[in-house]
Amino acid sequence: MIPLQAQLPDGGWMYVVSIVTVSLYVSLTAVGLSTLFSLPVALGIGFTDFRGKRLVTAVVNTGMGFPSVVVGLVVLILLSNSGPLGSLDLAFTPRAMILSQFILATPVLLSVSLSAVEGVDQSVRDAAYAMGGTRVDVGLAVIKEARFGIVTAILAGFGRAISEVGSILIVGGNIVYSDGQSYTRTLTTAITVEARQGRYEVGLVLGVILLALVLAVNGLGSWLRNQGRGERSV
C-alpha cells in the first residue's frame, strides 16, 4: 500500500492546508457579505405589509433550491471577457467564487432570517415604539429577540457555501499553482479531482476534514438553539 504522504500532490500537507484555507476564506467571506445583505432585507420584508409579500416570500424560499451549476454558469457568463462585467477580470478567481457562493447562500440566510424575524411577537415591536424608539431601534430589538434564529440562518448559509462544488468549479476553474498550493481549489473540488485520479485515500482525508467542518457548524447551531430555548424557559 502506498503511504498517504506519497500520494499527496506537490506541496505535501501544505497542499491540504492551502485547500482548507481557500475553502474557509471563500465561504466565510460569502456568508459574511450575505449576512450584511440578508438581515436588512429580512427586517424590511418582515416589518412591512405590501402587495405581493407572499409572492416575494415564495420566491425567496424557492431560491433555496437554486441549481448550483446554473448559478455558476450565469456568473461565469457575466464575468467572462465578453460579458458585461468582463472588464473587472474576476473570472477564475476566488472573488468569482465568493460571488457565486453569495448568490447560493443568500436565499438560505434570507429565508431562515425572515422566519425568525416574523416569529418575534408583535408586543416586542409595540414596546420598542412605546418607549420612543425609531425604526432602527425597533429593528435592533427584533434582531436581539430573533438572534438565535438569525445565528442558525448564518450557520445554515455557511453549510450551504462550504459544501458547494458545482458553481465554484465552473467559476473558479479549480486552479493549483505549480508548487501545489491552491489558488481556487477547495475541499469539494479537490475531492472530485483526487477521486478521478484514483487517489482515494487523499480524497477520504479531504472528505473527513469537510465533514468535520460541517458537523462542527451543525453542532454549534444545535447548541445555540438549545441555549435559546433555555433562556426563554427561565
Side-chain angles (χ1 to χ4, degrees):
M1 181 178 293
I2 302 176
L4 179 60
Q5 177 69 32
Q7 295 185 48
L8 292 171
D10 293 339
W13 285 108
M14 289 307 299
Y15 165 76
V16 176
V17 172
S18 67
I19 288 172
V20 174
T21 301
V22 171
S23 299
L24 290 175
Y25 165 70
V26 170
S27 297
L28 289 174
T29 304
V31 172
L33 294 174
S34 179
T35 301
L36 294 176
F37 171 81
S38 298
L39 285 185
V41 174
L43 289 172
I45 296 175
F47 280 10
T48 309
D49 291 323
F50 56 91
R51 188 176 182 180
K53 181 175 180 177
R54 290 186 178 180
L55 177 61
V56 171
T57 303
V59 170
V60 170
N61 292 333
T62 302
M64 296 175 67
F66 277 161
S68 62
V69 290
V70 175
V71 172
L73 179 60
V74 172
V75 171
L76 183 59
I77 292 173
L78 292 174
L79 300 180
S80 64
N81 292 333
S82 58
L85 302 178
S87 59
L88 299 177
D89 196 25
L90 296 178
F92 307 118
T93 67
R95 287 174 292 176
M97 297 159 65
I98 290 171
L99 176 59
S100 178
Q101 288 197 2
F102 170 86
I103 295 173
L104 290 169
T106 294
V108 177
L109 248 159
L110 183 54
S111 179
V112 180
S113 296
L114 181 58
S115 296
V117 168
E118 291 182 333
V120 175
D121 194 274
Q122 181 64 37
S123 61
V124 174
R125 306 180 195 180
D126 295 339
Y129 278 123
M131 296 176 64
T134 63
R135 288 182 63 87
V136 174
D137 295 326
V138 175
L140 292 176
V142 171
I143 289 177
K144 182 179 179 180
E145 186 68 19
R147 61 190 182 278
F148 295 106
I150 291 173
V151 170
T152 299
I154 295 172
L155 295 175
F158 176 76
R160 176 74 166 98
I162 195 70
S163 60
E164 174 52 33
V165 57
S167 66
I168 57 174
L169 186 61
I170 293 174
V171 303
N174 203 26
I175 301 171
V176 176
Y177 292 116
S178 59
D179 62 357
Q181 300 300 297
S182 170
Y183 178 56
T184 60
R185 181 170 292 181
T186 63
L187 283 166
T188 51
T189 57
I191 291 171
T192 302
V193 170
E194 300 304 332
R196 287 178 178 175
Q197 296 183 357
R199 294 196 290 259
Y200 300 120
E201 291 187 18
V202 177
L204 284 173
V205 169
L206 298 174
V208 168
I209 295 173
L210 177 60
L211 184 60
L213 290 173
V214 174
L215 288 176
V217 168
N218 289 335
L220 179 59
S222 298
W223 180 80
L224 289 172
R225 285 192 293 270
N226 292 333
Q227 289 291 107
R229 295 191 189 101
E231 288 190 7
R232 291 189 178 92
S233 63
V234 173

